[in-house]
Amino acid sequence: MIFDLTVPQFIKTLKNLNNFLDKAAAHADSKKFEMEVLLNSRLAPDQFPLTRQIQIVCDTAKLAASRLTGKPAPVQEDNEKTLAEVKARIQSVITYLEGMKPEDYTNAATAVITQPRWEGKTLTGYDYVIHHVIPNFYFHVTTAYSIMRHNGVDLGKKDFLGTLPYKMP
């Protein structure tokens, strides 16, 4: 269950995020500005810029998988400056997640999860996923989407949702 709530959804959404960036690059090209301007854009002065939002999306997905399975996550230095570097980071996390299997998550729901910011407090793996990982992941994806949309990138709900697994009646 934890696997199904996270890994396939995170992979899909990270791929959607890559598609947002492709549209953003086309927008920057058509408007004759450098993509790095958009990567450094933010919605508010006290908010992280687009690149940092994407780094946090990636970190949330990979660190959740690592904490829930005990498998080491890829190490990334948070020094991406270009579109190619940001996209490489996203692809690195997709590749890592694609290596996960449902059986890797056998004990994930009852795992005891902590992190330094929690000052010694813990959550079960289930509570960690439901109350922290999923909301945090989508908060930062939505913020990245909003930064691009605010700057004129032609994105809509279909871009955010991506391909749905429709069935024929």
Side-chain angles (χ1 to χ4, degrees):
M1 177 174 139
I2 298 286
F3 175 88
D4 294 328
L5 288 172
T6 57
V7 174
Q9 295 304 310
F10 291 169
I11 291 170
K12 176 186 172 184
T13 303
L14 287 164
K15 288 178 179 180
N16 293 348
L17 184 57
N18 256 334
N19 293 336
F20 301 172
L21 290 167
D22 290 340
K23 285 190 166 191
H27 175 73
D29 188 52
S30 75
K31 297 294 183 182
K32 310 287 187 235
F33 67 85
E34 297 298 320
M35 182 61 188
E36 286 72 23
V37 171
L38 190 52
L39 291 173
N40 289 300
S41 295
R42 58 184 83 215
L43 293 175
D46 65 343
Q47 182 183 55
F48 289 131
L50 178 58
T51 298
R52 185 70 184 127
Q53 299 293 340
I54 294 168
Q55 290 167 342
I56 295 169
V57 168
C58 291
D59 289 351
T60 300
K62 73 179 183 180
L63 293 175
S66 178
R67 289 176 179 136
L68 292 163
T69 66
K71 293 185 172 199
V75 175
Q76 295 159 319
E77 300 298 324
D78 294 342
N79 58 4
E80 295 84 7
K81 301 271 187 262
T82 67
L83 177 62
E85 292 169 344
V86 169
K87 288 179 70 78
R89 183 182 184 126
I90 293 169
Q91 186 56 54
S92 168
V93 175
I94 291 170
T95 300
Y96 172 69
L97 293 173
E98 287 175 338
M100 295 290 169
K101 297 175 182 57
E103 54 269 20
D104 295 331
Y105 285 74
T106 301
N107 299 314
T110 56
V112 177
I113 308 293
T114 191
Q115 53 183 316
R117 291 179 312 173
W118 295 353
E119 301 173 344
K121 298 174 189 145
T122 65
L123 291 170
T124 64
Y126 178 82
D127 286 338
Y128 170 62
V129 167
I130 297 300
H131 296 285
H132 179 77
V133 173
I134 292 172
N136 194 55
F137 180 83
Y138 286 108
F139 172 86
H140 290 284
V141 171
T142 300
T143 303
Y145 168 95
S146 296
I147 290 169
M148 288 183 257
R149 186 77 175 95
H150 176 75
N151 282 279
V153 178
D154 186 21
L155 295 171
K157 188 184 280 188
K158 286 184 179 182
D159 297 296
F160 191 91
L161 295 177
T163 305
L164 300 177
Y166 292 120
K167 308 289 186 253
M168 296 301 292

